[in-house]
Amino acid sequence: KVIWTLLITILGYASSLPVGDDSICTAEELAKYSIIFTGKWSQTAFPKQYPLYRPPAQWSSMLGVTHSSDYSMWKKNEYASNGVRDFAEKGEAWVLMKEIEEAGEKIQSVHGIFSAPAISSGTGQTSTELEVHSRHPLVSFVVRIVPSPDWFVGIDSLNLCEGDHWMEEVSVDLFPYDAGTDSGFTFSSPNFATIPQDTVTEITCSSPSHPANSFYYPKLKNLPPIAQVTMVKLKKNHLGLPAPYLSVPAKSNEIIDSVSETPLDCEVSQWSSWGLCRGLCRKTGTKIRTRFVLLQPANNGMPCPNLDEETGCAPENCV
């Protein structure tokens, strides 16, 4: 009878737990983390069409949330919400924040919202703090790639709880995603809505498979990380307050650039049609065709070939 009562109690407790990856978190109720976002979008690592002005390469502010498995900010291969669309296309956060707040009110799936300042260059750091709860141990965030049609980096539902304890530190390399709401191929593409809307997809060195794509590097196996995020658990001091975590910013862009150097081959146009044949009558003349450079080589990529070609011909209109 005692064993039967115990089994009923255990089963009743298990059925009351939320479903998902966060259901087995038995760590202390609250934990605070410092989250450091590092941009690695350099001209050395990503030389193709690298934005130098109007506007130059940069990152939007970070918008994130700590939550349970009942909430999802965004997911690969699923449709982006209206809030994620507005943030990825224009950097506007109001609709996304409203979506987060409504999810928190309706199903209590959100513990807190956090944000970090924008970065005014492709390389650099920004940071803030976040708080997770044993029932809300997941972290999600988005940072817009600027300029871009609807491209962003981020994390979807990273679990900081490992059974009975919180992770001390975790670092994740970040790669570009397409929100599926704008059809531009390049960083500076004009706004052209994707109709019907597509799902969120990861941008790789070969996908989309189009030479105009700003991230198209067919000779690479994988794109280098365009950013990185590190989360460090803050230790409590003797007053019970979190001890400050000091992040050391990169001393210069050269340190970040030296991590990855992506060769970029020269790209040239198709040949023009042959020009007029020039020369003396009854003798072999010459005609020329030309092409021009579409993309200058970088980082020891393949140099440009000859832009002029000459061949023999018979002069026309001879008397």
Side-chain angles (χ1 to χ4, degrees):
K1 186 182 291 185
V2 173
I3 294 174
W4 181 248
T5 303
L6 183 61
L7 284 172
I8 292 174
T9 304
I10 292 172
L11 288 172
Y13 172 72
S15 65
S16 67
L17 289 173
V19 178
D21 293 339
D22 51 330
S23 61
I24 56 172
C25 182
T26 57
E28 60 180 332
E29 192 174 59
L30 295 173
K32 282 196 173 182
Y33 282 81
S34 174
I35 178 169
I36 305 100
F37 177 89
T38 304
K40 296 188 174 184
W41 185 17
S42 67
Q43 191 171 10
T44 302
F46 299 91
K48 187 175 182 180
Q49 303 168 4
Y50 188 80
L52 296 173
Y53 56 92
R54 297 183 182 179
Q58 56 191 277
W59 300 96
S60 76
S61 58
M62 172 194 291
L63 181 61
V65 61
T66 57
H67 59 95
S68 69
S69 58
D70 296 320
Y71 171 78
S72 174
M73 176 181 269
W74 65 275
K75 280 191 179 299
K76 183 180 177 180
N77 299 326
E78 294 189 6
Y79 293 105
S81 68
N82 290 334
V84 171
R85 179 200 62 201
D86 285 358
F87 192 86
E89 289 188 14
K90 299 173 283 187
E92 296 177 358
W94 299 112
V95 176
L96 182 54
M97 288 186 69
K98 187 176 180 181
E99 291 174 352
I100 296 170
E101 290 169 0
E102 288 178 351
E105 291 173 0
K106 289 180 180 178
I107 54 178
Q108 287 77 49
S109 58
V110 171
H111 179 71
I113 301 174
F114 60 90
S115 64
I119 303 174
S120 59
S121 62
T123 57
Q125 284 189 334
T126 187
S127 64
T128 188
E129 292 182 5
L130 61 88
E131 183 179 78
V132 283
H133 188 276
S134 56
R135 294 194 301 274
H136 305 86
L138 308 181
V139 176
S140 297
F141 72 81
V142 286
V143 179
R144 181 177 180 246
I145 298 173
V146 184
S148 74
D150 61 342
W151 302 341
F152 69 95
V153 297
I155 279 181
D156 166 37
S157 303
L158 175 66
N159 195 341
L160 295 179
C161 182
E162 291 185 317
D164 62 352
H165 67 279
W166 296 103
M167 299 174 68
E168 291 296 325
E169 182 174 343
V170 58
S171 290
V172 181
D173 287 333
L174 303 177
F175 299 89
Y177 281 89
D178 186 322
T181 61
D182 195 294
S183 297
F185 266 129
T186 66
F187 297 121
S188 57
S189 293
N191 184 36
F192 187 72
T194 302
I195 302 175
Q197 181 176 333
D198 204 351
T199 58
V200 175
T201 56
E202 183 176 352
I203 301 172
T204 70
C205 56
S206 57
S207 178
S209 182
H210 194 291
N213 178 18
S214 294
F215 287 111
Y216 186 68
Y217 296 95
K219 289 191 174 182
L220 295 182
K221 290 183 178 179
N222 299 290
L223 282 177
I226 196 170
Q228 184 183 63
V229 66
T230 300
M231 282 166 273
V232 180
K233 186 173 179 290
L234 299 177
K235 301 182 184 300
K236 293 182 179 179
N237 59 24
H238 64 282
L239 295 176
L241 300 173
Y245 176 81
L246 299 177
S247 63
V248 180
K251 293 181 180 178
S252 72
N253 291 349
E254 294 179 1
I255 295 176
I256 297 175
D257 288 355
S258 65
V259 174
S260 177
E261 186 172 283
T262 302
L264 186 65
D265 295 340
C266 177
E267 292 183 12
V268 295
S269 68
Q270 298 292 323
W271 286 109
S272 67
S273 56
W274 288 104
L276 296 175
C277 183
R278 298 182 180 279
L280 299 175
C281 289
R282 294 180 293 281
K283 291 186 179 180
T284 300
T286 59
K287 59 182 178 180
I288 297 174
R289 63 178 182 175
T290 62
R291 55 187 175 183
F292 58 90
V293 175
L294 295 173
L295 191 65
Q296 292 288 348
N299 305 329
N300 298 314
M302 187 178 295
C304 293
N306 290 332
L307 301 178
D308 300 312
E309 189 173 70
E310 184 178 293
T311 189
C313 59
E316 300 175 359
N317 300 323
C318 282
V319 178

